[in-house]
Amino acid sequence: MSTHHTSSRPTLPVAGEDHARLTVDLSALADNWRAMARRSGAARTAAVLKADAYGIGLEPAAKTFHHAGARDFFVATPAEGVALRGVLPDVRIYVLSGMWAGSERLFFEFDLVPVIVSEEQLVVFMAAIADGGDLPCVLHVDTGMSRLGLRVEDALALADDTSRPASFSPLMLLSHLACADDPGHPLNRQQLQRFRSVVSAFDDIDATLANSAGIFLGEDYHFTLTRPGIALYGGAAVNDVPNPMKPVVTAEARILQVRDAKAGESVSYGASTVFTRDTRIAVAALGYADGYMRSLSGSGVPLRKANIPGASGVLHGRTVPLIGRVTMDLTHFDVTDLPAGSVRAGDFIEVFGRHMPIQDVALAGGTIDYELLTSLGRRYERRYEAVKK
């Protein structure tokens, strides 16, 4: 396995500045896409690349998915679509936020497919193609999310509208599941039934409903295209079940200092952690400026009502608890129970990744793994482990 240092982000640490580092396993990324493609059965499988590919880097992620077999890609904004087109010239790129007045040129120039999310956007799109412009679109139907999309009744009316321009012929219908991470939630079946009613009203049209969690709901939800996101990046798509996806991202921070504190002394802001024993502290070069959120401090943060113990890290194969409050640039870990002298300045502690599941860290911070990944700061040295030949 080879390692190369590249990123789609414009700002990188200089050589030797690796106070924190991210290792992205591109083989695991490819394997996760293939696993979701197998679960999708007869449906084509897209890849979602929103937010700089969930924080790991658009270019390496896009190339990895394409090499694995993906030909359909979803982004959030036209700007993301333009960036992706520069990486992959011959794929289908869908823009989930749709088309609004003033953005039309980008869709035509860079061959982007707008996902029309409202009646207002439908008007803009109709005007854009009125002069013979050749541009496909996807129609977003709200089946229960109450976020984006035409209401079911409006989509059905559009299907029956014989006065609509002949040039308007959406290539696909899209909806989004609100509760797919809870397989037993009744809204899943309700949304499925509503979506089916719209799909049946349009003649011979592709359809996409299943996100990562929706793929796990089974064949009924797959239609002709699935669009996995978080599962590709190693995140947990379904609640309260073991995560079958391979970890993709490992975040580590350099230990800047190892110091001793006496029983009765405290650590970090607010003196929220007072030691009940003599304690050895490892001070790591990582904080909320790097996306390692203050809430990971657990109930030591004011206003947190739940008795959450906070996150942990892995150092020399042992789990060590976070202590005190996470600060902008520094986080503290209790390494008292590790052998004396085994932890030294310059060592690296894993804060999530291969040995510390990202979903467990997110839970400790009262959030989800999506937020941890998409909040990654720019100070990490990024390392991409190439796909195994």
Side-chain angles (χ1 to χ4, degrees), residues 13-232:
V14 298
E17 194 194 325
D18 52 339
H19 83 299
R21 62 193 184 197
L22 284 176
T23 303
V24 180
D25 185 343
L26 297 179
S27 286
L29 192 70
D31 287 345
N32 285 344
W33 184 86
R34 294 188 187 101
M36 297 307 278
R38 288 193 296 271
R39 286 183 179 271
S40 297
R44 303 194 319 274
T45 304
V48 179
L49 289 168
K50 299 184 298 182
D52 199 31
Y54 285 59
I56 76 166
L58 177 71
E59 181 175 345
K63 289 181 176 179
T64 299
F65 291 137
H66 186 263
H67 186 264
R71 296 297 180 266
D72 297 271
F73 294 85
F74 285 83
V75 296
T77 68
E80 290 180 346
V82 170
L84 178 56
R85 180 60 72 204
V87 177
L88 298 177
D90 300 318
V91 300
R92 181 84 78 175
I93 301 174
Y94 306 91
V95 179
L96 289 164
S97 61
M99 174 188 286
W100 53 91
S103 69
E104 301 96 332
R105 178 188 61 82
L106 292 176
F107 287 89
F108 286 98
E109 183 176 344
F110 293 95
D111 189 21
L112 308 177
V113 180
V115 178
I116 304 302
V117 304
S118 67
E119 294 282 358
E120 293 83 358
Q121 287 198 1
L122 192 56
V123 171
V124 172
F125 180 78
M126 293 287 202
I129 64 173
D131 296 329
D134 182 16
L135 185 71
C137 77
V138 172
L139 196 62
H140 189 153
V141 182
D142 175 25
T143 57
M145 187 77 163
S146 295
R147 192 172 64 173
L148 293 176
L150 275 65
R151 290 183 175 276
V152 168
E153 55 268 29
D154 294 332
L156 292 173
L158 184 63
D160 292 334
D161 185 1
T162 57
S163 67
R164 71 184 186 185
S167 58
F168 176 71
S169 180
L171 60 86
M172 185 162 58
L173 295 172
L174 177 148
S175 193
H176 193 67
L177 294 163
C179 302
D181 56 354
D182 179 1
H185 200 289
L187 186 55
N188 293 326
R189 297 301 298 184
Q190 293 171 20
Q191 287 193 258
L192 177 61
Q193 292 165 4
R194 294 166 188 163
F195 191 55
R196 279 175 169 167
S197 71
V198 178
V199 173
S200 64
F202 285 80
D203 294 330
D204 190 26
I205 192 169
D206 282 352
T208 177
L209 176 63
N211 53 5
S212 291
I215 293 171
F216 287 94
L217 290 177
E219 183 179 356
D220 286 350
Y221 292 81
H222 293 167
F223 291 88
T224 51
L225 179 70
T226 63
R227 47 180 206 276
I230 188 63
L232 302 180

Side-chain angles (χ1 to χ4, degrees), residues 259-265 274-281 323 334-338:
R259 58 184 302 131
D260 294 317
K262 299 291 186 182
E265 294 180 342
V274 178
F275 299 121
T276 58
R277 63 173 181 171
D278 291 350
T279 301
R280 188 176 307 113
I281 306 165
I323 49 176
D334 184 344
V335 297
T336 311
D337 294 331
L338 271 62

